[in-house]
Amino acid sequence: MDTQVIGHRTPRVDGENKLTGRADYTTDWYVDNMLHGYPVPASISHGTLEALDIEPVLAMPGVVAVYHHGNFPKLYRSPSSQAHQDQVSEVRLPFEDERIHYDGQYVAMVVAERYEQARAAAHALQARYHQDSGARPGLLETREDGRPLESEGGLRGDPDSAYERAPVKIDHVYAIAPESHMQMEMHATLAQWRDDRLIVHESTQGVVYQHKAMARIFDMPEEKVEVISHYIGSGFGNKLFMWPHAVATAAAARELGRPVKTVLSRQQDMASGGNRPASRQRLRLAADEQGRLLSMRHDSTTETSFVHPYVDSVGTPTLNLYACDNAAISHHLLEVNHGTPCPMRAPGEVSGIYALECAMDELAIALDMDPLELRRRNYSYEDPTKGLPWSSKHLDTCYDSAARRFGWERRDPRVGSMREGDEILGWGMATSSWTAGRQPCMARVELRADGTVMAACGTQDIGTGTYTVVAQTVAELTGVPLDRVEVRLGESSLPAGPLSGGSMATATTLPAVAAAVRAAIDELKEVATDEDAPFTGADPDGLAFRDGALADEQGKRVAFDDLLSGQKLGSVSGDGQAAPGDEQNQYSFRSFGAHFVEVRWDPGISRLCVSRVVSSIDIGRAVNPVTARNQVEGAIVMGIGMGLFEKLDYDPRDARLINNNYSDYIVTSHADMPEIDVELLDNPDYAFNEFGARGVGEIGLTGIAPAIANAIYHATGKRIRDLPITIEKLMEP
Amino acid sequence: MRTFAYRTADDVTQAVTTHGADDQVAYVAGGTTLLDLVKLDVMRPTQLVDINRLPLGEVETLDDGRLRIGATVTNTELAHHPEVKARYPLLSQALLAGASTQLRNMATTAGNIMQRTRCPYYRDASAACNRREPGSGCDAMHGINRMHAVLGVSDQCIATHPSDMCIAMAAIGATLTLEGPDGKREIAFNDFHRLPGDQPEKEHELRPGELITYITLDTPIEGAGAYYLKLRDRASYEFALASAGALVSIQDGVIHEARLALGGVATKPWRSHEAEQALHNQPAAVSTFEMAAEAAMQDAVPHEHNAFKIPLARQAIVRALREACKDAENANEPR
């Protein structure tokens, strides 16, 4: 498809709003008569709340109410069904009972006239607990394995006997510490009841999901609930599904008859607003002497909380990343006394690919083979799980291009052999991958008499650039310039759109917007061929819409705004919808890429840094190469954090979260950022959708941590299988 | 809401009078530690006395060659001050290794000396902490103590002193001028911070109501090379796991005078006289540096998660000494 706007570098259409402060984030909303909520977190992780000393707090300045188990209104749990789009992050309602399951679980919420008053009262509220012994501190602090989950298993061939017979094999256990999303903008809710309607501003990745979940929980007709999220300061997955603070805030607003806004503190956000769960993964790989995989076995355990069974599906990449006839995955789930985990960027797969890609490196070493060559020898030309061809796979090009730009052919495979002064260079690589998904979606487009076009969809822009790609789609199909396209997102009353998650928003939303554009143009043609209209009597199908105007075959051309004005119409609109179709039975859809990483290791002072990352990623068509590249570069930076720094520290004695702030939980700083060279291949995947786009939010994160771990081995000879790879691990003999 | 009174003062006498001897009152300058801890409910002052208007914002070279730094000189101003860069490069390096630009723009010299530990149990008002609440116990002792001290610890407290700037001052040597309700006095920098011992809540030698007004650096060692090396989990905006500040002067390949101070590993800014003795009159060679490193860490006491700090500190010492010697040799080369 020859395009004018799609696939071209396009500055964010919402950039000016963000730079000038016009962008209305949830926290920015102040409404008349508004109160402030402040949750009171439990300071134990396992036990029972015995008493709350409410009276002194109620007497504090500005305090209006304190909600807790004793006085919280009766609500209903959401069924939390993905199919019905009412999924929540934690099915347990706030203050449902007096059991404490994790440090930071809300035991009460103070509501006061001012934020500072609510916070001070929350700090002052004295709670008495009965602390139970035997808090389970975390998966990696125990040998327990939890319960098996049959639904997460997978098997083809006979991996066990193939493993036994194979000449070369490895068998190792990898572990990843729990991580925090550390999104910039904290979870926040503003709830207002107007008559019998509930209006919620929330920083969410899914207005539609929250809208439906709120309706279930408050037992209301869906049309009486509106959820609004115009701008989101990122989420990385922890804002996909609603958390208890939103329920508590909406309930308080109803009880008090006044709007209530709750903004979590960073400490609360980290303790009770989601995390990537710890995982422990055993990888068994076997190959013949030529490096062809004979058997793959990936047995995983992840943790979840005692109040919500979140499963991080870490094993799936092992079933489809490489060609291998014998493969099996299994999954166990262990409940621990931590806040509930939830999806975090590339959920499951980034953890599984870490273990798999480290194991592949270890297998290459066992084979005395170049790790890139091992991957080439096991290239999958079709999806081994579905037996379907990949719709568009160019991983070989990614390997070639990234290896060439990195200079991989100059790699001396001997450990510690590449020295520069005090430093030793380590070079490692890994494959990157993320599944390509699409959801059903609806959209509406209006052509307006003032010459603008409005596109609306009930999805949201979490900072990734959805406003811009929707505007690009409209501009592409109408020829109307971007500055005359208005995009409305982030309201559940708009035509239902997807979650901003799973790298699905672009591929899901754009075809629906395109359908709506076409429907609006069809409507315009109807108007244009009416009596007393410019194209009276013409066959609508004979009219073409180009560069913002309708034209007939004789060359007569009328701009749509002139046409509408002439017909005394303010606008015409079209509704569109799109959904995955029969292509799902013909192809398997997945994106692939490759990361090459250089680390510098100074053994004299045990200092390690990532100095260079070269990546080639194939995501089909990058609708906006600027924001797409931004996603991959940001993911690389995040991956360095996963590899080297990030770990939620729970005290092993009582499962309390210790590093609950931006200072003690270490994310990558600017000074840690390497030279980054990202290439996005441009191979539109038209089997997937008409724009050929597969999505880009997650893929860049997958493969970074293992490429770092593999480079570290090359530099140091130390195979560190537990993330993050901190200094003390590098110092172990 | 936990309210507090806020007063400003225009001169030292007024500040000291306003403060009085009340230990519920706190001086505030940049506020980078204090306001953080107030928000965490760890510090609960009833009154703040803002000293930013006091005429303590100057850096001056005294007649005897020492450098006098006013209490409210910011970390940024001090790090980039021409006299500091030229004569006390160790101090400039240490300041720039600390915190972030934004924090250094706010943080002051005296405030940096007064900054509190980053021990997470100290900062969690619901945890046991002898430093915050005498007699309540120490959750760090058997908890997550990866960041904690191995030198100068007691069975009451193992919290690390977090400052980088103070490490340079410990090596350089300095005198603090204090003014309080009982008048003015001076104290050596290295006597100011206290070891936790059995009174970890007493962090320093300030008497009630006393204010640090000046920090006067000793005259620099002639011809000394300087190097501050900070080893930490990430490259910026992160406290040290181990840091070493070294000043070395060399004559004919032999170490004439050496100063070594350590950060990230001790309960106070840690001057290592043991290491200095091991360096004195020894050849400027790696074997000497290694002996000094051994000497510096010989009394270190590890806990469950921080044993790696002992070898890490040794590495920091060896490298900092090597680089300081290189710096000294470069400085001594005829130009």
Side-chain angles (χ1 to χ4, degrees):
Chain A
M1 190 166 81
D2 186 24
T3 57
Q4 304 303 311
V5 190
I6 284 188
H8 295 267
R9 296 168 57 88
T10 307
R12 291 171 191 268
V13 296
D14 52 338
E16 189 178 321
N17 279 353
K18 287 184 172 172
L19 285 173
T20 56
R22 277 201 298 273
D24 53 328
Y25 291 87
T26 299
T27 317
D28 297 329
W29 278 84
Y30 278 81
V31 295
D32 285 347
N33 214 21
M34 184 175 86
L35 295 165
H36 294 267
Y38 199 95
V40 181
S43 59
I44 64 167
S45 67
H46 183 44
T48 308
L49 176 66
E50 290 192 328
L52 284 170
D53 199 5
I54 302 289
E55 290 308 318
V57 166
L58 281 174
M60 286 178 70
V63 174
V64 174
V66 179
Y67 290 102
H68 51 88
H69 172 59
N71 67 352
F72 194 67
K74 180 175 154 47
L75 302 172
Y76 300 92
R77 284 186 172 195
S78 174
S80 197
S81 150
Q82 196 166 12
H84 295 117
Q85 301 187 320
D86 53 22
Q87 198 169 348
V88 292
S89 281
E90 202 168 289
V91 286
R92 182 184 182 276
L93 292 167
F95 326 125
E96 202 172 69
D97 53 37
E98 286 164 334
R99 288 293 302 160
I100 307 295
H101 303 279
Y102 59 87
D103 173 33
Q105 178 186 319
Y106 308 140
V107 296
M109 187 168 83
V110 176
V111 183
E113 296 288 345
R114 300 218 312 266
Y115 172 79
E116 291 78 6
Q117 292 169 332
R119 180 175 64 184
H123 281 162
L125 182 58
Q126 295 294 311
R128 196 175 75 236
Y129 303 102
H130 175 78
Q131 191 163 355
D132 291 345
S133 60
R136 201 179 276 151
L139 171 65
L140 304 182
E141 264 70 53
T142 162
R143 291 178 176 278
E144 289 179 79
D145 233 8
R147 58 192 159 94
L149 295 179
E150 299 296 333
S151 60
E152 293 291 312
L155 173 70
R156 67 170 177 268
D158 184 356
D160 287 343
S161 51
Y163 184 85
E164 289 310 317
R165 290 195 309 270
V168 184
K169 42 193 142 187
I170 59 117
D171 178 357
H172 295 296
V173 175
Y174 303 85
I176 304 175
E179 287 184 86
S180 178
H181 298 69
M182 299 307 275
Q183 78 290 352
M184 278 295 209
E185 182 199 21
M186 256 67 82
H187 287 294
T189 308
L190 163 60
Q192 311 173 61
W193 294 80
R194 289 195 202 142
D195 303 324
D196 56 349
R197 280 170 52 79
L198 169 61
I199 300 152
V200 180
H201 287 79
E202 177 87 28
S203 180
T204 175
Q205 295 174 245
V207 288
V208 169
Y209 275 61
Q210 178 153 351
H211 151 83
K212 290 177 190 276
M214 279 289 191
R216 307 284 182 274
I217 288 168
F218 286 90
D219 191 23
M220 294 165 66
E222 284 182 16
E223 63 272 19
K224 299 267 188 190
V225 181
E226 166 110 43
V227 176
I228 299 165
S229 202
H230 291 150
Y231 288 93
I232 297 101
S234 87
F236 302 120
N238 65 351
K239 293 176 181 166
L240 286 167
F241 312 116
M242 185 166 67
W243 292 93
H245 71 270
V247 180
T249 304
R254 189 182 69 180
E255 298 303 297
L256 296 168
R258 291 174 64 180
V260 178
K261 181 163 84 172
T262 301
V263 181
L264 296 191
S265 67
R266 179 63 67 185
Q267 288 85 347
Q268 291 172 348
D269 203 289
M270 290 180 72
S272 56
N275 58 76
R276 188 197 300 286
S279 58
R280 182 166 57 223
Q281 307 175 54
R282 181 180 180 192
L283 260 289
R284 278 171 285 182
L285 301 181
D288 66 17
E289 275 99 351
Q290 285 72 48
R292 279 185 293 266
L293 284 165
L294 299 174
S295 170
M296 305 173 80
R297 206 179 154 102
H298 192 158
D299 301 300
S300 314
T301 305
T302 60
E303 62 186 18
T304 188
S305 72
F306 281 96
V307 293
H308 189 102
Y310 172 72
V311 181
D312 216 34
S313 301
V314 300
T316 41
T318 293
L319 293 180
N320 50 33
L321 210 51
Y322 297 108
C324 178
D325 293 334
N326 305 294
I329 62 170
S330 76
H331 200 115
H332 281 69
L333 187 66
L334 180 73
E335 281 133 355
V336 301
N337 289 101
H338 293 179
T340 304
C342 67
M344 175 168 157
R345 203 175 198 177
E349 296 209 350
V350 69
S351 305
I353 286 175
Y354 164 69
L356 174 60
E357 288 296 286
C358 287
M360 287 293 278
D361 201 65
E362 299 203 57
L363 182 65
I365 289 161
L367 287 157
D368 196 19
M369 181 180 286
D370 182 275
L372 176 57
E373 179 58 26
L374 176 64
R375 284 152 175 102
R376 291 186 199 275
R377 290 192 185 183
N378 292 286
Y379 201 82
S380 69
Y381 291 92
E382 60 167 32
D383 181 348
T385 52
K386 295 181 183 164
L388 292 174
W390 301 113
S391 59
S392 171
K393 178 173 176 178
H394 302 274
L395 176 57
D396 45 359
T397 312
C398 293
Y399 286 147
D400 292 346
S401 172
R404 190 186 66 252
R405 281 157 33 238
F406 186 81
W408 186 255
E409 77 284 357
R410 297 194 304 276
R411 180 178 187 262
D412 182 340
R414 291 170 304 159
V415 164
S417 59
M418 297 171 70
R419 281 188 170 268
E420 271 188 27
D422 286 330
E423 294 181 330
I424 301 171
L425 302 191
W427 286 7
M429 59 83 56
T431 305
S432 175
S433 182
W434 180 254
T435 182
R438 248 187 95 176
Q439 302 288 318
C441 180
M442 298 193 281
R444 182 177 308 128
V445 164
E446 272 179 26
L447 301 169
R448 292 162 166 169
D450 64 1
T452 63
V453 184
M454 190 277 292
C457 179
T459 185
Q460 50 284 310
D461 187 336
I462 58 171
T464 49
T466 308
Y467 279 112
T468 306
V469 293
V470 169
Q472 285 179 277
T473 304
V474 172
E476 182 71 47
L477 297 178
T478 60
V480 173
L482 283 166
D483 61 5
R484 282 163 59 196
V485 178
E486 180 198 347
V487 180
R488 289 184 60 193
L489 306 175
E491 295 174 18
S492 62
S493 55
L494 299 174
L499 289 171
S500 298
S503 299
M504 293 190 287
T506 296
T508 297
T509 306
L510 268 45
V513 171
V517 169
R518 295 189 183 105
I521 290 172
D522 286 346
E523 187 64 27
L524 185 74
K525 288 176 181 174
E526 293 295 327
V527 170
T529 52
D530 275 353
E531 279 180 43
D532 302 326
F535 298 98
T536 301
D539 175 7
D541 293 340
L543 299 176
F545 192 90
R546 212 176 293 120
D547 296 331
L550 272 186
D552 65 13
E553 284 154 6
Q554 287 71 48
K556 181 175 177 183
R557 191 176 172 283
V558 184
F560 75 90
D561 43 340
D562 293 340
L563 200 155
L564 290 168
S565 302
Q567 299 308 110
K568 300 185 171 52
L569 288 173
S571 65
V572 289
S573 65
D575 291 316
Q577 50 184 310
D582 189 47
E583 75 280 358
Q584 299 288 332
N585 302 318
Q586 297 166 25
Y587 298 103
S588 186
F589 301 96
R590 183 169 268 278
S591 287
F592 295 92
H595 294 300
F596 289 75
V597 165
E598 175 183 275
V599 299
R600 287 175 176 265
W601 165 241
D602 186 337
I605 51 173
S606 303
R607 182 148 74 191
L608 182 97
C609 74
V610 176
S611 49
R612 208 154 57 92
V613 177
V614 176
S615 308
S616 286
I617 308 283
D618 177 25
I619 54 163
R621 165 62 55 87
V623 175
N624 184 358
V626 184
T627 46
R629 174 179 303 274
N630 178 223
Q631 284 298 304
V632 177
E633 290 175 350
I636 288 169
V637 172
M638 195 176 197
I640 292 170
M642 179 182 185
L644 300 181
F645 308 131
E646 296 190 41
K647 177 186 190 219
L648 285 167
D649 263 327
Y650 294 90
D651 193 317
R653 295 167 299 182
D654 58 10
R656 293 201 63 203
L657 179 60
I658 297 303
N659 58 343
N660 57 3
N661 57 74
Y662 238 123
S663 177
D664 296 327
Y665 181 91
I666 303 173
V667 299
T668 312
S669 73
H670 284 86
D672 298 294
M673 290 184 196
E675 186 186 321
I676 296 175
D677 169 9
V678 170
E679 172 192 47
L680 300 175
L681 270 55
D682 191 20
N683 297 302
D685 188 349
Y686 293 127
F688 191 46
N689 58 56
E690 63 177 292
F691 300 105
R694 278 197 305 262
V696 64
E698 336 276 330
I699 185 169
L701 187 60
T702 68
I704 287 291
I708 292 171
N710 297 341
I712 287 174
Y713 176 80
H714 181 228
T716 67
K718 287 174 182 150
R719 177 61 68 177
I720 295 158
R721 302 189 180 91
D722 298 351
L723 295 185
I725 301 174
T726 48
I727 289 171
E728 59 267 48
K729 294 177 190 171
L730 290 164
M731 292 179 74
E732 279 166 18
Chain B
M1 186 161 15
R2 196 185 297 284
T3 56
F4 53 80
Y6 172 83
R7 305 263 185 276
T8 58
D10 294 318
D11 58 45
V12 172
T13 311
Q14 191 191 357
V16 168
T17 311
T18 308
H19 187 296
D22 185 346
D23 65 0
Q24 299 298 305
V25 180
Y27 293 113
V28 63
T32 54
T33 292
L34 180 65
L35 297 187
D36 192 23
L37 291 173
V38 168
K39 282 192 253 182
L40 290 170
D41 217 23
V42 169
M43 296 186 84
R44 301 169 180 182
T46 55
Q47 179 178 316
L48 297 186
V49 180
D50 188 321
I51 59 163
N52 286 296
R53 289 194 207 163
L54 270 51
L56 299 173
E58 300 294 321
V59 179
E60 316 155 72
T61 305
L62 303 182
D63 292 343
D64 59 8
R66 297 187 300 156
L67 193 74
R68 193 176 78 159
I69 305 158
T72 59
V73 173
T74 68
N75 288 179
T76 298
E77 289 164 348
L78 192 58
H80 296 290
H81 194 281
E83 282 291 301
V84 174
K85 283 164 77 173
R87 298 172 64 216
Y88 299 97
L90 187 70
L91 179 59
S92 182
Q93 291 173 28
L95 280 161
L96 294 175
S100 64
T101 307
Q102 294 88 336
L103 281 164
R104 293 193 297 266
N105 287 344
M106 292 298 291
T108 62
T109 310
N112 191 314
I113 293 170
M114 293 297 292
Q115 74 177 295
R116 299 312 205 268
T117 182
R118 294 292 306 186
C119 172
Y121 301 99
Y122 173 79
R123 291 166 57 82
D124 174 359
S126 62
C129 173
N130 290 322
R131 186 173 287 254
R132 179 170 32 77
E133 229 177 293
S136 65
C138 173
D139 270 347
M141 204 65 73
H142 301 287
I144 302 225
N145 46 36
R146 176 175 184 268
M147 297 297 288
H148 288 71
V150 292
L151 291 170
V153 298
S154 76
D155 59 3
Q156 298 285 304
C157 183
I158 55 172
T160 308
H161 194 279
S163 173
D164 291 296
M165 183 196 81
C166 289
I167 307 312
M169 287 185 177
I172 293 164
T175 305
L176 304 185
T177 307
L178 313 177
E179 270 195 67
D182 299 332
K184 194 165 167 177
R185 64 184 181 118
E186 292 195 330
I187 184 169
F189 178 84
N190 284 316
D191 295 334
F192 180 75
H193 294 99
R194 293 172 54 128
L195 292 172
D198 54 8
Q199 285 186 299
E201 75 280 9
K202 289 198 188 323
E203 301 190 350
H204 47 70
E205 294 293 341
L206 277 184
R207 294 173 192 151
E210 270 187 330
L211 174 70
I212 302 172
T213 51
Y214 295 100
I215 301 91
T216 308
L217 301 181
D218 292 356
T219 46
I221 302 169
E222 205 166 319
Y227 200 77
Y228 186 74
L229 177 64
K230 182 176 183 181
L231 302 178
R232 44 183 159 177
D233 282 309
R234 65 178 161 196
S236 170
Y237 187 52
E238 176 61 10
F239 295 94
L241 292 167
S243 73
L247 292 168
V248 186
S249 69
I250 303 174
Q251 282 172 4
D252 305 324
V254 171
I255 296 170
H256 177 65
E257 188 163 2
R259 302 271 184 81
L260 184 75
L262 304 177
V265 290
T267 51
K268 61 171 274 187
W270 193 261
R271 175 84 172 264
S272 179
H273 297 287
E274 298 85 349
E276 291 171 8
Q277 273 168 17
L279 292 164
H280 186 61
N281 280 339
Q282 297 298 311
V286 170
S287 55
T288 307
F289 308 151
E290 287 172 348
M291 290 200 345
E294 282 299 323
M297 302 309 293
Q298 63 193 358
D299 295 328
V301 179
H303 284 77
E304 186 180 352
H305 304 288
N306 67 355
F308 73 99
K309 282 189 166 187
I310 300 171
L312 190 68
R314 287 195 204 108
Q315 290 186 321
I317 293 166
V318 171
R319 182 65 63 84
L321 288 168
R322 188 190 85 179
E323 296 300 313
C325 286
K326 266 193 213 168
D327 187 43
E329 282 158 12
N330 290 342
N332 291 342
E333 270 173 23
R335 305 242 159 112

